Amino acid sequence: MVITKQDKIFIAGHRGMVGAALVRAMHEQEYENIITRTSGMLDLRRQSDVEYFFEQEKPDIVVLAAAKVGGIYANNTYPAEFGYDNLIMALNVIHAAWKNRVKKLLFLGSSCIYPRTASQPMKESCLLTGELEQTNEAYALAKIAGLKLCSYYNRQYDADFISCMPTNLYGPGDNYHIKNSHVLPALIRRFHEAKEAGSPEVTIWGTGTPLREFLYVDDLANACIFLLENYTGDETVNIGTGKEITISELAKLVADIIGYSGKIIQDSSMPDGTPRKLLDVSKMKALGWKYTTELKDGIRLTYKDFLACGGRE
C-alpha cells in the first residue's frame, strides 16, 4: 500500500524514545498530519478506549511504538507486567487498525524475539527455532505474538501490516534509571555519577563478555519511514548496524567519552543475559537502507541528552 504525505498517521508511544524520534523524523520528511495521544489520554491496554479512538480519528497509517521496556533487571523482576502490557497493547491496536481499515501498520518488536542460541548473525528466518532467553522471555513472547498477529491479518484479510525488529537502541529520550534501564544508558549514568563523585572504581554487571549491537534511535526512525514507504510483506525485517561490541569494551568506550578514568570492575555474580545478539541486516540493505550514526558519535549525542535532561528515569 502506497502512503502519502497527506495520510493521517497515528504514532502510538510518541513520548518514548522511539516514538519521539519517529515524530522528529516524520516532520523532517514533511509528514505533517501526525496524531499522538499520551497514555493519560488513551490507555492502549483498554480495548474499548482503543476502539473508540480509532472509530473517531480514522488514522490511515499506524506505527505501534508504544511498549513497556527495560533492561535485564526490570524484565526479570516484573515479567507479568512486561508480558501483559505489551501483549494487550499489540492485540488492541492491531485489531482496531484492521477493524477501521487502516492502510498500513508498522509493528516494532525487538531482537530478543530470536532464540537465545540462534546462529549468528540472526536471520529473520530463525524466529521460533529455539528457546528464548529466560530473563526477557515475557517481553519476547508478547512481541512475537504481535508480529505473528500482523501476518495473520495479512493472510486472512489482505491487510498491509508489517513488522520490524530493531537491535538494542539508544539515544535522546532514553531512560537512565540505574536498575531498570538498558545497558548503555545505565552505563552513561553510572560513569557520570562516578566522575562527579570522584569514585575510584565502577562495578558493572556480568562478566563483560556478551556481545551486543547498538543502533542510534534516529537511525531507527528513518528506517521505519523507509519501510512504510517501500516494504510490504509478512516476514519481519531486522534493523541494525551489523556491528557488535563486548559489554566490557562498551563500558570502556562510555567511560572514555564521559571522561571517567577510574577502575572498571566486572561483577560476575550478576546475569549476563544472552551471550551474543547480532542481527543479520542483509535484507534491509537489499531493500536500500543503511544506518548512518556510528556508536562513538551516538554515545556522545546521548550523553549530551543525559546532561540536558538531568538523567530522566
Side-chain angles (χ1 to χ4, degrees), residues 131-144:
E131 293 186 3
L132 298 168
E133 163 62 35
Q134 289 298 304
T135 55
N136 55 23
E137 181 186 70
Y139 180 77
L141 286 171
K143 289 299 182 181
I144 291 170

Side-chain angles (χ1 to χ4, degrees), residues 125-242:
S125 58
C126 76
L127 180 68
L128 297 176
T129 59
E131 293 186 3
L132 298 168
E133 163 62 35
Q134 289 298 304
T135 55
N136 55 23
E137 181 186 70
Y139 180 77
L141 286 171
K143 289 299 182 181
I144 291 170
L147 72 91
K148 281 295 184 182
L149 192 61
C150 287
S151 69
Y152 298 152
Y153 277 96
N154 291 345
R155 183 197 309 172
Q156 187 172 342
Y157 296 111
D158 198 27
D160 191 1
F161 294 173
I162 62 175
S163 63
C164 67
M165 296 302 116
T167 189
N168 299 289
L169 300 170
Y170 70 101
D174 212 336
N175 169 22
Y176 300 97
H177 190 281
I178 200 67
K179 285 186 177 180
N180 293 339
S181 62
H182 289 105
V183 60
L184 205 159
L187 288 174
I188 287 175
R189 177 169 179 173
R190 193 164 296 174
F191 284 118
H192 172 79
E193 292 182 347
K195 177 186 174 183
E196 293 294 295
S199 301
E201 60 186 38
V202 169
T203 300
I204 62 174
W205 279 23
T207 62
T209 58
L211 288 157
R212 292 292 182 269
E213 176 185 16
F214 295 93
L215 179 69
Y216 191 61
V217 71
D218 284 32
D219 284 349
L220 170 65
N222 287 322
C224 288
I225 297 173
F226 177 87
L227 287 174
L228 286 170
E229 294 175 340
N230 297 282
Y231 179 71
T232 292
D234 288 342
E235 189 179 56
T236 189
V237 183
N238 290 338
I239 303 179
T241 65

